[in-house]
């Protein structure tokens, strides 16, 4: 099967978060089982060119419609980790992909709408006829709309679309002129059962368009699939998702064990695994040395997170204080985009700077995160919502016990030590429900109490987590089932 991944991100060359990891990990796994996969990305100037193989021009003069003009584009291809990638570069005064970053520009909707049209134009022109076009999040939602409304008749009628929702908190809600930009008819599409935003009838909701026009829609965990259909986590799209229930499901993400494996990780000083757990103690000492934490008989409670509303920042701050009050050490690695949140954590960093049991590293540091996972005993994940979450899966692989809120993918992967209905060998962490300090405190107290008073039982929880299989192998099979179900036979 020929599968075209169309995305705004692909790790490690264009990554802002979990989406990049998913596109990369899933594509590689599909290739490993013999599928023909190619990735289509904007040709950002911020690509990690040092990780991209030799590039070659594929098309030098692609004309892409933009309102009533057309914009010349170039398409280059290159291998990234054996994965064939196409980069669409536009040559216009808009400099769509020359902004030094992936997202966060005032005209993001225009930039990615243009990308959608350009990808289809490139496929048409270069004779690419994917069996499946797999699109991700609001940035690529116009691909299925354009495919159905324009490109089927032009020659792409054999392609079917699988559309994955990685975070329903970002839907791409914009003015209707975006439709004119890409050559779509607002009169046909600005109606309640197509692209009209459920909350504001004057606006276009791109993610809704992706849901309506795709052949199959999924999100990244079964629990989040239920939550966005039946609770306000759907952020206005609950009704649309229920209407399209028959083509909607949840597929849990995997993680890439070539990157996240304590037995082979080159970023940590001592390899370890479930059968050689003492190696973890060496990494704990190394983490303490790196962060200048005291050597003491205390558990290290870690946080590795974007410091964002979604991640429950108020509970993270409480958790840091509570862990110290309970005689633990704290190691936090986090970056905030919001200036107010950044300031709150900067102040906390200042107040704890002289404390030998607390270190806050306010940065995004992928390499250091490996040592955090290798050295920590517990990790706090008090998310308000969590489509899937990779942090808890990485933590488990490194023998770190998660203390997490029972939402989204966290509920599908973390099984409570005391209250789960799972067999003991599958229990791997501590869960709480209410979005309150008391609820987080209670779960942390159980975790810390177990570490202190029943170390053998705590050790078993670590090992249970390390044995869990969160590789891409099962999710890739589930995606293949979806592709087989929707493809033209
Ligand atoms: P999201 O994509 O919503 O941020 P996920 O749990 O799906 O959350 O993925 C988070 C990924 O980003 C994990 O790989 C985690 O290790 C990494 N990460 C988060 N914050 C940092 C940071 N400050 N430094 C390094 N890596 C981080």
């Amino acid at each position: 099967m020929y599968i075209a991944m169309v995305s705004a991100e692909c790790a490690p060359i264009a990554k802002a978060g979990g989406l990049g990891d998913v596109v990369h990990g899933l594509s590689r796994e599909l290739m490993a089982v013999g599928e023909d996969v190619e990735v289509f990305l904007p040709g950002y100037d911020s690509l990690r060119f040092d990780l991209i193989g030799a590039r070659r021009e594929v098309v030098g003069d692609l004309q892409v419609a933009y309102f009533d003009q057309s914009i010349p584009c170039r398409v280059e291809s290159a291998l990234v980790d054996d994965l064939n990638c196409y980069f669409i570069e536009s040559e216009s005064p808009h400099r769509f992909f020359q902004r030094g970053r992936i997202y966060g520009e005032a005209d993001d909707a225009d930039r990615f709408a243009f990308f959608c049209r350009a990808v289809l134009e490139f496929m048409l022109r270069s004779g690419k006829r994917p069996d499946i076009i797999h699109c991700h999040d609001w940035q690529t939602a116009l691909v299925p709309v354009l495919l159905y409304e324009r490109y089927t008749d032009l020659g792409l009628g054999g392609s079917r679309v699988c559309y994955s929702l990685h975070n329903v908190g970002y839907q791409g809600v914009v003015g209707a002129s975006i439709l004119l930009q890409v050559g779509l008819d607002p009169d046909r599409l600005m109606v309640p059962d197509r692209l009209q935003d459920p909350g504001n009838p004057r606006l276009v909701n791109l993610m809704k368009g992706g849901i309506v026009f795709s052949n199959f829609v999924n999100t990244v965990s079964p629990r989040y699939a239920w939550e966005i259909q039946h609770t306000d986590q759907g952020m206005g799209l609950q009704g649309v998702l229920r209407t399209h229930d028959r083509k909607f499901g949840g597929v849990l993400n995997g993680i890439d064990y070539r990157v996240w494996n304590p037995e082979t990780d080159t970023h940590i000083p001592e390899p370890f695994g479930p059968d050689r757990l003492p190696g973890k103690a060496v990494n704990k000492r190394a983490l303490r040395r790196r962060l200048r934490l005291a050597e003491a008989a205390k558990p290290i409670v870690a946080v590795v997170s974007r410091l964002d509303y979604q991640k429950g920042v108020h509970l993270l701050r409480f958790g840091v204080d509570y862990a110290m009050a309970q005689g633990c050490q704290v190691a936090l690695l986090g970056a905030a985009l919001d200036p107010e949140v950044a300031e709150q954590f900067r102040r906390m960093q200042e107040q704890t700077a002289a404390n030998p049991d607390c270190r806050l590293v306010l940065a995004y540091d992928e390499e250091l995160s490996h040592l955090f996972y290798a050295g920590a005993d517990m990790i706090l994940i008090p998310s308000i919502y969590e489509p899937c979450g990779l942090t808890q899966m990485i933590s488990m692989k490194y023998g770190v016990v998660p203390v997490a809120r029972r939402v989204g993918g966290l509920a599908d992967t973390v099984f409570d030590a005391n209250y789960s209905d799972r067999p003991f060998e599958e229990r791997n962490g501590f869960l709480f429900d209410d979005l309150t300090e008391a609820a987080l405190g209670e779960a942390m107290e159980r975790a810390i109490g177990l570490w202190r008073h029943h170390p053998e039982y705590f050790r078993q929880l670590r090992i249970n987590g390390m044995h869990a299989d969160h590789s891409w192998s099962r999710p890739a099979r589930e995606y293949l089932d979806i592709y087989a179900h929707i493809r033209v036979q």
Side-chain angles (χ1 to χ4, degrees):
M1 207 170 349
Y2 172 32
I3 301 151
M5 290 281 171
V6 183
S7 171
E9 294 185 36
C10 180
I13 54 165
K15 173 177 164 176
L19 169 63
D21 290 323
V22 171
V23 169
H24 178 256
L26 174 61
S27 300
R28 285 204 40 109
E29 181 69 23
L30 290 169
M31 271 190 2
V33 296
E35 304 300 337
D36 183 10
V37 185
E38 294 187 313
V39 181
F40 296 74
L41 293 163
Y44 306 111
D45 59 353
S46 57
L47 289 170
R48 285 284 306 269
F49 291 102
D50 54 322
L51 304 175
I52 299 177
R55 283 175 290 156
R56 98 188 151 81
E57 183 173 285
V58 187
V59 175
D61 60 343
L62 186 73
Q63 294 295 325
V64 179
Y66 181 74
F67 291 104
D68 52 0
Q69 310 158 14
S70 81
I71 290 182
C73 293
R74 292 175 63 236
V75 183
E76 290 190 344
S77 79
L79 284 181
V80 175
D81 241 357
D82 296 333
L83 201 56
N84 198 32
C85 296
Y86 292 97
F87 305 102
I88 314 258
E89 295 166 20
S90 79
E91 287 160 17
S92 84
H94 304 283
R95 302 170 63 79
F96 283 128
F97 308 123
Q98 290 142 308
R99 309 290 180 87
R101 58 179 178 175
I102 298 176
Y103 310 118
E105 300 291 296
D107 61 346
D108 275 358
D110 293 351
R111 299 168 64 222
F112 290 106
F114 179 79
F115 172 62
C116 292
R117 177 100 201 227
V119 166
L120 289 170
E121 203 60 49
F122 170 56
M123 286 177 181
L124 189 66
R125 162 86 182 268
S126 59
K128 293 197 174 295
R129 299 293 181 266
D131 298 299
I132 298 294
I133 305 180
H134 192 156
C135 298
H136 302 267
D137 270 350
W138 72 263
Q139 294 86 357
T140 54
L142 280 177
V143 168
V145 184
L146 281 163
L147 183 69
Y148 189 83
E149 292 284 299
R150 290 190 76 99
Y151 284 84
T152 292
D153 287 346
L154 296 174
L156 290 178
S159 297
R160 295 290 178 266
V161 178
C162 173
Y163 180 47
S164 296
L165 313 177
H166 297 263
N167 190 338
V168 172
Y170 302 89
Q171 299 176 5
V173 178
V174 290
S177 69
I178 200 93
L179 300 175
L180 293 173
Q181 178 196 317
V182 293
L184 290 168
D185 177 1
D187 291 338
R188 266 176 64 72
L189 297 174
M190 278 299 275
V191 291
D193 59 355
R194 294 195 180 131
L195 272 73
Q196 192 175 60
D197 183 56
N200 184 339
R202 293 204 320 279
L203 298 179
V204 167
N205 186 312
L206 298 176
M207 184 172 267
K208 179 179 168 186
I211 294 167
V212 171
F213 281 86
S214 293
N215 301 94
F216 198 87
V217 183
N218 80 289
T219 186
V220 288
S221 69
R223 175 70 165 236
Y224 190 60
W226 183 87
E227 289 168 350
I228 61 179
Q229 280 192 312
H230 299 287
T231 75
D232 57 12
Q233 299 225 9
M235 312 225 181
L237 290 179
Q238 297 92 309
V240 181
L241 289 165
R242 284 201 302 272
T243 301
H244 293 275
D245 183 56
R246 289 182 56 195
K247 59 168 192 183
F248 177 63
V251 179
L252 197 65
N253 283 336
I255 56 173
D256 189 342
Y257 285 144
R258 290 176 319 140
V259 178
W260 299 110
N261 182 351
E263 314 218 32
T264 53
D265 193 330
T266 53
H267 298 302
I268 64 175
E270 180 76 17
F272 66 99
D275 303 323
R276 40 178 181 163
L277 212 44
K280 190 165 167 75
V282 178
N283 292 292
K284 186 170 176 176
R285 280 199 296 280
L287 178 62
R288 282 183 167 140
R289 269 200 307 278
R290 173 82 182 259
L291 299 185
R292 287 173 291 103
L293 287 168
E295 192 56 52
K298 295 179 174 183
I300 295 184
V301 177
V303 172
V304 179
S305 182
R306 286 188 294 121
L307 301 174
D308 179 81
Y309 161 84
Q310 178 200 334
K311 302 294 179 183
V313 273
H314 64 295
L315 288 183
L316 285 174
R317 285 202 310 277
F318 166 80
V320 168
D321 287 338
Y322 188 79
M324 283 192 294
Q326 294 292 311
C328 304
Q329 293 187 319
V330 171
L332 178 144
L333 176 60
L337 275 184
D338 183 299
E340 203 174 308
V341 176
E343 178 56 23
Q344 286 165 357
F345 279 87
R346 203 197 51 73
R347 241 179 286 132
M348 196 171 204
Q349 185 188 45
E350 216 170 79
Q351 285 156 5
T352 55
N355 188 329
D357 287 330
C358 182
R359 207 62 73 222
L360 273 51
V361 181
L362 302 182
Y364 188 93
D365 188 334
E366 182 107 15
E367 221 173 295
L368 183 57
S369 74
H370 288 248
L371 186 59
F372 267 64
Y373 291 117
D377 296 296
M378 301 163 209
I379 190 153
L380 304 183
I381 318 177
S383 303
I384 294 176
Y385 72 94
E386 194 61 78
C388 177
L390 304 177
T391 315
Q392 80 280 14
M393 299 199 248
I394 299 170
S395 296
M396 285 180 210
K397 186 72 179 169
Y398 284 72
V400 184
V401 174
V403 179
R405 184 146 178 268
R406 196 195 315 264
V407 281
L410 294 168
D412 286 328
T413 49
V414 181
F415 306 117
D416 193 278
N418 304 114
Y419 302 124
S420 174
D421 54 8
R422 297 272 174 150
F424 175 70
E425 317 78 70
E426 290 180 30
R427 298 186 190 188
N428 51 28
F430 295 86
L431 289 169
F432 64 99
D433 289 290
D434 295 343
L435 204 53
T436 60
E437 295 179 354
L440 170 59
E442 186 272 340
M444 287 178 68
E445 195 179 329
R446 287 191 290 131
I448 296 163
L450 198 72
W451 184 91
R452 205 161 268 145
H453 304 301
H454 301 282
E456 268 314 298
Y457 187 68
F458 191 88
R459 181 172 173 277
Q460 196 54 49
L461 281 188
R462 291 191 206 268
I463 291 173
N464 291 351
M466 294 173 98
H467 281 308
D469 178 8
H470 293 123
S471 70
W472 271 106
S473 131
R474 195 169 79 172
R477 279 201 305 276
E478 290 181 36
Y479 278 111
L480 282 172
D481 286 345
I482 293 171
Y483 300 160
H485 173 65
I486 60 176
R487 78 180 284 196
V488 179
Q489 298 301 329

